[in-house]
Amino acid sequence: MASTESQALSDMYSNWVSRMAANPDMDLDTMRDLFDGWHRVTREPGAVSYAHVDAGGVPALWAIPEGAVDDRVLLFSHGGGYVGGSSASHRKVAGHLAKAAGVRALVYDYRRVPESPHPGPLEDARRVFDWLVAQGFSAGGIATVGDSAGGALSISLPLSLRDAGTALPSAIVALSPFLDLQATGATLETNAEVDKLASKPMIEQMAGLFLGTEGSPTDPLAAPLHANPAGLPPVYISVGGAEVLLDDSQRFAKKAEAAGVDVTLEVVPEMQHVFHFLAGHAPEADQSVRNIGSWLRKHLLL
Amino acid sequence: MASTESQALSDMYSNWVSRMAANPDMDLDTMRDLFDGWHRVTREPGAVSYAHVDAGGVPALWAIPEGAVDDRVLLFSHGGGYVGGSSASHRKVAGHLAKAAGVRALVYDYRRVPESPHPGPLEDARRVFDWLVAQGFSAGGIATVGDSAGGALSISLPLSLRDAGTALPSAIVALSPFLDLQATGATLETNAEVDKLASKPMIEQMAGLFLGTEGSPTDPLAAPLHANPAGLPPVYISVGGAEVLLDDSQRFAKKAEAAGVDVTLEVVPEMQHVFHFLAGHAPEADQSVRNIGSWLRKHLLL
């Protein structure tokens, strides 16, 4: 049974959905403010300091756990449907994962939608990756990590590096990733009643904004479900059992496994979208953070 | 002349005011989200870690600079008209001041208005103060610090301790404090054109919500301008020259000085309300933070 503490995320999502429903013409600033409150259900990890940095032209935030090694890094792509979310909303959850892995995290503020549809966010991911390499990090010292829309970026960045013949990160962590822009997953229906945030209409709206007038919903760099995953580094996917997006994870894991990729799929029963935000508050999130930290300690090698 | 960098705060305030004007029935959650974005103009101080704590029943956040002494603390009361603001919006600015002073800061989330009118916020300030003392801090190891509405709390808490015959903090830092609930200051008129956030109607609305149905606008613990300041510890007041609330600071400083209190009044030309939020970005804020840090190093003695 879901922990009592995990209810905080369901409650926050219900509040968001009711506020969006009450204000269907919500302006962009207000919606972004709403998503920036995501951090409220995350407890400070403690013993982590933060520093702003210009990462090759992309504003970014270091999360630096005390005692972390300085040659390995989680390149963290935040979620928020490509429209919202920021280094501010995801600072603490990135800090938890960095601390669990014993490394730094870098959360970057990519250009968002609707101002910058695909491939804007991915281009910024690449800029930050190149900047890290220019700073002296080896590609193998980097893990791409992200949630929701950022979970897609955590996969599409290595895909684009592979396609370019460039050295790859050594690990991918995707939390509740948003991988299918056509909204065809079975759980969009079967979990419609239990998912407190996402829904088919919301997914379709975000996909439309992300693709803009020129994008294709089957572009593998926009919707990694359509990619050939062969050659990707080990992938850890963690997703909630109550999510409408659960099927995105399940289908991608199956496809990646068939392509010979080392895939770990963690489905945590009854959990909501990116339940990892509950780190420090709910046992399900803490357990997942520990699992991911252990996995990264094995796979994030130079 | 005001620095180019300081424009970021004016721009943010103009954005807030236009959004509030466009949505006069803005719901409380949305307004609080708006104010929680205050932190965006503040750069991470760096080398400061954070930890949530239950401070005697009041949720609070430690800001812990690397190398800070652990027996002195800034008890930080955030601003936001008693309605908004939080440990999240003020985390970084508290971190800057703590770092400049070489001590910890504790930013607490007092019960806000309209749910808890005066004396709710002050009662929570007292709870946190008592908790600090119970943790082993001496009263003299504590400085009360706050901005705007929190600037009033930074003064009313020591006033209430003095009235109760309890040991006092050794220093008070009030940033752009909101001290007159009757909105009688001359600068409410003379700075009306240049203050990008506050205005007489806004001040009156917030004062009304803060006082509720039972409060008096001349209660000295609600409006410290009406207090007898005799016996207060040294006070540092920092305020912007463009503020409608400038006169609150000038009048209180004059009254405190006449009562024999050691008062330092810093008026920084052309600066907006709580320009200290620009710490790490604008030279005026950085200079003020340095001034306050040096002053605290002299006055925050055990």
Side-chain angles (χ1 to χ4, degrees):
Chain A
M1 215 180 89
S3 68
T4 311
E5 294 85 353
S6 71
Q7 189 64 33
L9 186 64
S10 311
D11 290 347
M12 190 172 75
Y13 286 161
S14 298
N15 170 276
W16 289 6
V17 167
S18 69
R19 286 164 66 192
M20 288 189 277
N23 185 3
D25 301 320
M26 184 179 280
D27 65 274
L28 196 57
D29 284 343
T30 300
M31 180 171 292
R32 286 175 174 168
D33 280 354
L34 190 82
F35 277 84
D36 259 9
W38 230 336
H39 77 88
R40 288 192 197 119
V41 295
T42 314
R43 198 168 170 87
E44 289 284 350
V48 177
S49 69
Y50 302 88
H52 288 294
V53 67
D54 177 334
V58 181
L61 185 70
W62 283 115
I64 310 169
E66 272 178 30
V69 298
D70 58 7
D71 57 359
R72 269 160 282 182
V73 58
L74 311 184
L75 174 49
F76 194 102
S77 305
H78 71 76
Y82 299 107
V83 176
S86 68
S87 58
S89 57
H90 285 66
R91 173 182 64 82
K92 286 182 265 181
V93 72
H96 277 280
L97 290 165
K99 193 173 169 178
V103 303
R104 293 171 163 227
L106 184 67
V107 193
Y108 63 106
D109 284 300
Y110 53 82
R111 287 168 294 157
R112 293 178 297 190
V113 165
E115 296 93 333
S116 300
H118 176 71
L122 179 58
E123 285 171 356
D124 285 352
R126 177 62 190 266
R127 275 194 193 98
V128 177
F129 178 84
D130 289 346
W131 178 82
L132 282 171
V133 171
Q135 298 302 301
F137 288 92
S138 70
I142 300 171
T144 56
V145 181
D147 63 294
S148 195
L153 291 169
S154 76
I155 297 170
S156 60
L157 174 61
L159 286 171
S160 70
L161 293 167
R162 179 201 63 185
D163 294 349
T166 306
L168 296 183
S170 63
I172 296 171
V173 177
L175 314 172
S176 304
F178 171 31
L179 303 176
D180 170 16
L181 296 170
Q182 293 174 307
T184 62
T187 47
L188 279 161
E189 309 293 340
T190 56
N191 274 339
E193 293 297 315
V194 289
D195 189 314
K196 298 299 180 194
L197 175 66
S199 62
K200 190 163 176 163
M202 182 189 281
I203 299 294
E204 287 170 340
Q205 190 190 10
M206 286 175 165
L209 290 169
F210 177 55
L211 293 170
T213 51
E214 315 229 325
S216 157
T218 58
D219 174 351
L221 295 181
L225 188 62
H226 295 283
N228 171 7
L232 283 181
V235 181
Y236 192 107
I237 302 174
S238 176
V239 62
E243 296 196 44
V244 295
L245 288 180
L246 169 59
D247 216 35
D248 285 33
S249 289
Q250 289 174 327
R251 288 180 290 168
F252 183 80
K254 197 169 172 183
K255 195 171 172 182
E257 199 158 29
V261 178
D262 174 357
V263 181
T264 303
L265 174 64
E266 169 184 89
V267 182
V268 182
E270 299 182 62
M271 288 295 106
Q272 295 289 322
H273 190 51
V274 202
F275 63 94
H276 317 81
F277 272 107
L278 291 159
H281 279 308
E284 295 91 344
D286 288 335
Q287 184 60 54
S288 179
V289 167
R290 278 194 299 272
N291 295 346
I292 293 167
S294 303
W295 184 87
L296 280 167
R297 284 172 189 267
K298 276 188 220 126
H299 291 89
L300 181 48
L301 305 168
L302 295 180
Chain B
M1 215 179 91
S3 68
T4 310
E5 295 85 352
S6 71
Q7 189 64 32
L9 186 63
S10 310
D11 290 347
M12 189 173 75
Y13 286 161
S14 297
N15 170 274
W16 288 7
V17 167
S18 70
R19 287 164 64 192
M20 289 189 276
N23 185 2
D25 300 321
M26 184 179 279
D27 65 273
L28 196 57
D29 284 343
T30 300
M31 179 170 293
R32 286 175 173 167
D33 281 353
L34 191 82
F35 277 84
D36 259 8
W38 231 336
H39 76 88
R40 289 191 196 120
V41 295
T42 314
R43 198 169 170 87
E44 289 283 349
V48 177
S49 69
Y50 303 89
H52 288 292
V53 65
D54 178 333
V58 181
L61 184 70
W62 282 116
I64 310 170
E66 273 177 29
V69 299
D70 59 6
D71 57 358
R72 269 160 282 181
V73 58
L74 310 184
L75 175 49
F76 195 102
S77 304
H78 71 76
Y82 299 108
V83 177
S86 68
S87 59
S89 57
H90 286 65
R91 172 183 64 82
K92 287 183 265 182
V93 71
H96 277 281
L97 290 165
K99 193 173 168 179
V103 304
R104 294 171 163 227
L106 184 66
V107 192
Y108 62 105
D109 284 301
Y110 53 82
R111 287 169 293 158
R112 292 178 297 189
V113 166
E115 296 92 333
S116 299
H118 177 71
L122 178 58
E123 285 171 355
D124 285 351
R126 177 60 191 267
R127 273 192 195 100
V128 177
F129 178 84
D130 290 346
W131 179 82
L132 282 171
V133 171
Q135 298 302 300
F137 288 92
S138 70
I142 300 171
T144 56
V145 181
D147 64 293
S148 196
L153 290 169
S154 75
I155 297 170
S156 59
L157 174 61
L159 286 171
S160 71
L161 294 167
R162 178 202 63 185
D163 295 349
T166 306
L168 296 184
S170 64
I172 296 172
V173 177
L175 313 172
S176 304
F178 172 30
L179 303 175
D180 170 16
L181 296 170
Q182 293 173 308
T184 62
T187 48
L188 279 161
E189 308 295 340
T190 57
N191 275 339
E193 293 297 316
V194 289
D195 189 313
K196 298 300 182 196
L197 175 65
S199 62
K200 189 163 175 161
M202 183 189 280
I203 299 294
E204 287 171 340
Q205 190 190 12
M206 286 175 164
L209 290 169
F210 177 56
L211 291 170
T213 50
E214 314 228 325
S216 157
T218 58
D219 175 350
L221 294 181
L225 188 62
H226 295 282
N228 171 8
L232 283 182
V235 181
Y236 192 107
I237 303 175
S238 175
V239 61
E243 296 196 45
V244 296
L245 289 180
L246 170 58
D247 216 36
D248 285 32
S249 289
Q250 290 175 327
R251 289 179 291 168
F252 184 80
K254 197 170 172 184
K255 194 171 174 183
E257 200 159 27
V261 177
D262 175 357
V263 181
T264 304
L265 174 64
E266 169 183 88
V267 182
V268 183
E270 299 182 60
M271 287 297 105
Q272 295 289 321
H273 190 51
V274 202
F275 62 95
H276 317 81
F277 272 107
L278 291 159
H281 280 308
E284 296 91 343
D286 288 334
Q287 184 61 54
S288 178
V289 166
R290 278 194 298 272
N291 296 345
I292 294 167
S294 303
W295 184 87
L296 280 166
R297 285 173 190 267
K298 276 186 220 127
H299 290 89
L300 182 48
L301 305 168
L302 294 180

